Amino acid sequence: MKSLLITGGGRGIGAATARLAARRGYAVCINYRSRQGEASNLVREIEGAGGRATAIQADISVDADVTRLFEACDQELGPMAGLVNNAGVLETQMRVEAMATDRLQRVFATNVFGAFACAREAVLRMSTKRGGAGGSIVNVSSVASRLGSAGEYVDYAASKAALDTFTLGLAREVAEEGIRVNAVRPGFIYTEMHASGGEPGRVDRVKEFVPMKRGGTAEEVAEAILWLLSDAASFTTGTFLDVAGGR
Ligand code: NAP
C-alpha cells in the first residue's frame, strides 16, 4: 500500500483529498494543526470504509514539528510515496497599506516556508539518489497567484506565487530522481477558508465572476490532486492544473 501525507488534511480540500486517496488505495497520513476532532473523525470514517489512515498534529510553520510529523508518518505507515502540500492560511481582507509585517510573516510561514520544509523531508525520503523509490508532490496553490487578490489579500496571493515558482524549481531539481512535483490552482471553492478571511459567504458573492457561474467543491479539487499524484500523470512535472471553472 502506498502512503501519502496530506498537510491540513482534517477538513476542506485536504479532507476531500484524504477520502479520495483512501478510496484509491493509499494509506493516508492526515496532518492537522489544531482541529483534532475533525481529523480523528476522518480517520475513523476511512478505517470504517476499510482504508488505512492516521492523524498527526503538527504546525507546519514550525520546523521541529515538520521533522516530527514525517518521522511519525514513517513509523505508522511506512515508506512515503506522496506528499500533498495543502495546508494554507489567509487572514482578514484588507489593503496592502494596512498590512503589518507580522501578518506577512504568519502567512508566508505556513504557505511558503511550511511547504518548503515538508517538501524537503519528502525529497529526503523519496529521492532515488538517496535510496528512495521516487514519488510525487502536489502543491495546493491558488489562481490568486496569477490574479493578485487586490483589495482582499495580496499577501496570500504573493505567497501562492512563491509556491508556484517553488513548484517549477523543485520539479526540475528532482526530475531525474524519480520525483514529480506539480501544483493545482483552485479558484473559489466552498470551504471554511473564506470565513478566515472574514467573509464566510464569499464564494456565493463572487461566483458571478466565474465563467461557469458557480463555486467549486473540495471534491473537484481532490480529483485533480489525485490525478497528478498518480502514475497516470507519469510524464507530467513542473506543471499547474487550474480547477477554477474557467477563471
Ligand atoms: P480550510 O478549510 O481553511 O482548511 C485549512 C487546513 O489547513 C486545515 O486543515 C488547517 O488545520 C490546516 N492548516 C492551516 N495552517 C496550518 C499549519 N500551520 N500547520 C498545519 N496545518 C495547517 O482551507 P481549504 O479551503 O481547504 O484550503 C486548503 C488549501 O487550498 C490551502 O492551501 C488554500 O490556500 C488552498 N485554496 C483554497 C481555495 C478556496 O477557495 N477554498 C482556493 C484556492 C486555494 P486545522 O483543521 O487543524 O485548523
Side-chain angles (χ1 to χ4, degrees):
M1 201 176 213
K2 286 184 172 183
S3 78
L4 173 68
L5 169 61
I6 304 170
T7 64
R11 58 193 172 97
I13 292 169
T17 305
R19 278 191 191 92
L20 188 60
R23 285 211 299 275
R24 301 258 169 99
Y26 288 93
V28 192
C29 181
I30 296 164
N31 155 250
Y32 64 96
R33 180 187 47 184
S34 50
R35 307 252 295 245
Q36 183 184 13
E38 269 124 311
S40 304
N41 287 343
L42 183 54
V43 168
R44 271 196 291 279
E45 181 191 321
I46 288 171
E47 287 176 342
R52 194 163 162 224
T54 186
I56 296 168
Q57 191 285 328
D59 179 343
I60 61 147
S61 69
V62 176
D63 223 47
D65 275 26
V66 171
T67 313
R68 177 175 55 73
L69 168 64
F70 276 74
E71 285 169 358
C73 285
D74 290 342
Q75 273 169 17
E76 297 198 27
L77 300 180
M80 183 172 293
L83 165 69
V84 182
N85 261 327
N86 166 76
V89 291
L90 51 71
E91 299 202 6
T92 317
Q93 296 166 351
M94 64 177 68
R95 287 168 55 97
V96 169
E97 67 262 35
M99 285 178 191
T101 303
D102 60 342
R103 166 180 164 132
L104 306 185
Q105 276 162 346
R106 284 192 301 274
V107 169
F108 276 71
T110 291
N111 297 5
V112 183
F113 303 156
F116 261 76
C118 290
R120 177 195 68 216
E121 293 302 316
V123 169
L124 284 169
R125 286 160 174 78
M126 300 190 307
S127 168
T128 52
K129 261 193 183 161
R130 295 175 167 276
S136 177
I137 297 173
V138 176
N139 294 325
V140 182
S141 175
S142 168
V143 292
S145 71
R146 56 175 173 72
L147 297 173
S149 304
E152 293 192 322
Y153 13 69
V154 171
D155 55 341
Y156 169 83
S159 76
K160 294 300 188 179
L163 191 58
D164 285 2
T165 304
F166 175 57
T167 302
L168 272 180
L170 182 63
R172 290 170 186 180
E173 196 165 292
V174 298
E176 283 184 277
E177 299 167 34
I179 305 174
R180 294 181 300 101
V181 186
N182 293 288
V184 293
R185 289 193 296 213
F188 302 128
I189 308 298
Y190 288 100
T191 71
E192 287 180 60
M193 172 161 267
H194 307 283
S196 329
E199 192 187 356
R202 177 167 174 261
V203 176
D204 283 328
R205 173 176 65 83
V206 294
K207 66 185 180 190
E208 283 311 303
F209 302 115
V210 179
M212 282 188 183
K213 304 291 179 209
R214 68 170 180 88
T217 65
E219 289 71 25
E220 289 174 308
V221 182
E223 288 286 352
I225 293 171
L226 262 295
W227 181 75
L228 287 169
L229 282 173
S230 77
D231 290 342
S234 51
F235 199 49
T236 301
T237 197
T239 198
F240 303 90
L241 190 40
D242 289 6
V243 186
R247 184 163 159 265

